[in-house]
């Protein structure tokens, strides 16, 4: 499929957790400071191991727990680290998690100055279904009209009072020249498939990503561009190889069987991510990659998994580790 330079590449993106040090930056600070060196170390590891791009400061990145200055510091710091490591144009989406049009544009302006290429803009769901489809269409259109970056629609009902972007709304927004894709972080596979296969959408200019690696094989087989997946923060090569298996054409019986085997292992491990979220991802990155610490996120997400909890997932995670080590 031809690649438009303004459109994110197909493949696996990682919603990167934000790393924090174990102590505040100053005596007056209330929470632990950003750990930009750890952030860069992890981002470079992902870039070297099959991941096609990063989502910085999305939901997993705790953007709502950071100040404006911290958000800029993190994006610009990672960009600088990637450039010094030999990845100067590595794809970065910046999360935009605010309900105000003016603030969304402020976040997008800052992201552009920090050298992100796209904004991943969360649906404004504070008021839930009171935000009807007509108003969502107008909200996204206004943001896209004025955004200095191309944007993607981010539909995550779990953090937006169960608001869902309608299929007709996707079709209309996909025609906007500054809207280049969407991320659906929900279990409605039919929506992923319908938007991915909609014949009225130009799929060279509008890409569909899932937020769940559990859906990777099925949705990529039916036209989706890939996933933005938390498990890949820990096992990037394995999840990226599953994408390659699903994207390769033609799909031979042997390839399908291999894909099914890998998808089962990935889906089983994703259960840990589903239960423990940011805390589980950070624990996995620390245990498997020796990056970060076991402090977790900022309040109210501070802390680690309970003692013995990681061991309960040994069967699933050991299988993932075996896949990870099997990829050249």
């Amino acid at each position: 499929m031809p690649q438009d330079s303004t459109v994110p590449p197909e493949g696996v993106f990682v919603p990167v957790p934000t790393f924090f040090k174990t102590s505040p930056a100053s005596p007056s600070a209330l929470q632990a400071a950003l750990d930009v060196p750890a952030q860069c170390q992890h981002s470079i590891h992902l870039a070297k191991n099959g991941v096609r791009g990063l989502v910085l400061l999305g939901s997993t990145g705790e953007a709502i727990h950071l100040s404006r200055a911290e958000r800029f510091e993190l994006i610009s710091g990672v960009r600088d680290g990637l450039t010094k490591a030999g990845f100067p144009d590595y794809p970065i989406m910046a999360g935009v998690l605010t309900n105000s049009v003016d603030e969304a544009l402020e976040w997008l302006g800052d992201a552009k100055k920090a050298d992100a290429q796209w904004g991943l803009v969360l649906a404004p769901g504070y008021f839930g279904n009171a935000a009807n489809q007509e108003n969502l269409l107008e909200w996204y259109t206004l943001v896209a009209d004025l955004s200095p970056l191309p944007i993607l629609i981010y539909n995550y009902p779990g953090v937006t009072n169960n608001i869902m972007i309608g299929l007709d709304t996707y079709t209309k927004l996909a025609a906007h020249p500054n809207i280049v894709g969407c991320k659906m972080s929900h279990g409605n596979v039919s929506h992923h498939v319908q938007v991915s296969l909609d014949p009225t959408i130009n799929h060279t200019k509008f890409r569909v990503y899932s937020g769940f690696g559990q859906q990777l094989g099925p949705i990529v087989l039916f036209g989706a561009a890939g996933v933005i997946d938390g498990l890949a923060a820990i096992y990037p090569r394995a999840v990226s190889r599953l994408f390659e298996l699903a994207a390769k054409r033609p799909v031979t019986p042997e390839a399908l069987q291999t894909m099914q085997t890998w998808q089962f292992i990935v889906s089983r491990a994703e259960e840990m991510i589903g239960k423990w979220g940011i805390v589980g991802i950070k624990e996995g990155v620390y245990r498997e990659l020796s990056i970060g610490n076991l402090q977790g996120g900022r309040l109210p997400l501070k802390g680690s998994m309970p003692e013995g909890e990681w061991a309960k997932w040994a069967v699933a995670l050991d299988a993932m580790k075996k896949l990870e080590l099997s990829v050249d």
Side-chain angles (χ1 to χ4, degrees), residues 53-237:
L54 309 177
V55 173
L56 299 179
L57 298 173
S59 302
T60 303
E62 298 183 71
I64 57 170
H65 294 164
L66 275 64
S67 69
R68 182 180 183 183
E70 287 175 324
R71 293 194 300 269
F72 184 86
E73 178 187 358
L74 187 137
I75 298 172
S76 60
V78 170
R79 173 59 74 200
D80 184 58
L82 286 166
T83 298
K84 289 178 179 176
F87 301 94
D89 299 313
Y90 193 71
I92 294 177
M93 294 182 196
V96 177
L97 313 184
T98 181
N99 285 238
S100 162
V101 168
D102 294 293
E103 285 193 354
L105 292 169
E106 180 182 274
W107 285 42
L108 287 160
D110 290 346
K112 181 176 175 60
K113 290 176 184 176
D115 213 11
Q117 290 107 314
W118 304 275
L120 181 63
V121 182
L122 186 67
Y126 183 90
F127 291 103
N129 288 325
N132 61 43
Q133 295 299 313
E134 291 78 9
N135 287 343
L136 289 172
L137 177 63
E138 184 175 353
W139 191 91
Y140 270 111
T141 299
L142 183 56
V143 171
D145 284 346
L146 299 173
S147 174
L149 290 175
I151 69 170
L152 291 87
I153 303 159
Y154 182 16
N155 190 187
Y156 185 5
V159 296
T160 56
N161 288 310
N162 294 315
I163 198 168
M164 288 286 283
I165 306 295
L167 295 172
D168 289 342
T169 304
Y170 278 119
T171 301
K172 292 171 183 175
L173 290 173
H176 194 292
N178 207 31
I179 299 179
V180 295
C182 65
K183 176 188 178 185
M184 300 186 195
S185 289
H186 57 68
N188 191 330
V189 174
S190 178
H191 277 211
H192 291 79
V193 172
Q194 288 188 67
V195 178
S196 296
L197 298 177
D198 186 339
T200 67
I201 292 176
N202 182 344
H203 297 288
T204 67
K205 296 183 178 297
F206 186 88
R207 296 276 163 82
V208 177
Y209 302 87
S210 172
F212 298 156
Q214 299 94 314
Q215 300 168 341
L216 194 163
I219 66 167
V220 171
L221 280 171
F222 286 94
V227 291
I228 300 172
D229 175 59
L231 185 66
I234 310 168
Y235 306 106
R237 286 180 288 177

Side-chain angles (χ1 to χ4, degrees), residues 23-69:
S23 59
S26 69
S28 62
L30 299 177
Q31 297 207 78
L34 289 178
D35 191 344
V36 176
Q39 200 79 48
C40 291
Q41 183 185 1
H42 185 238
S43 296
I44 292 165
H45 175 77
L46 298 178
K48 289 179 175 179
N49 285 281
V51 170
R52 292 301 306 276
L54 309 177
V55 173
L56 299 179
L57 298 173
S59 302
T60 303
E62 298 183 71
I64 57 170
H65 294 164
L66 275 64
S67 69
R68 182 180 183 183

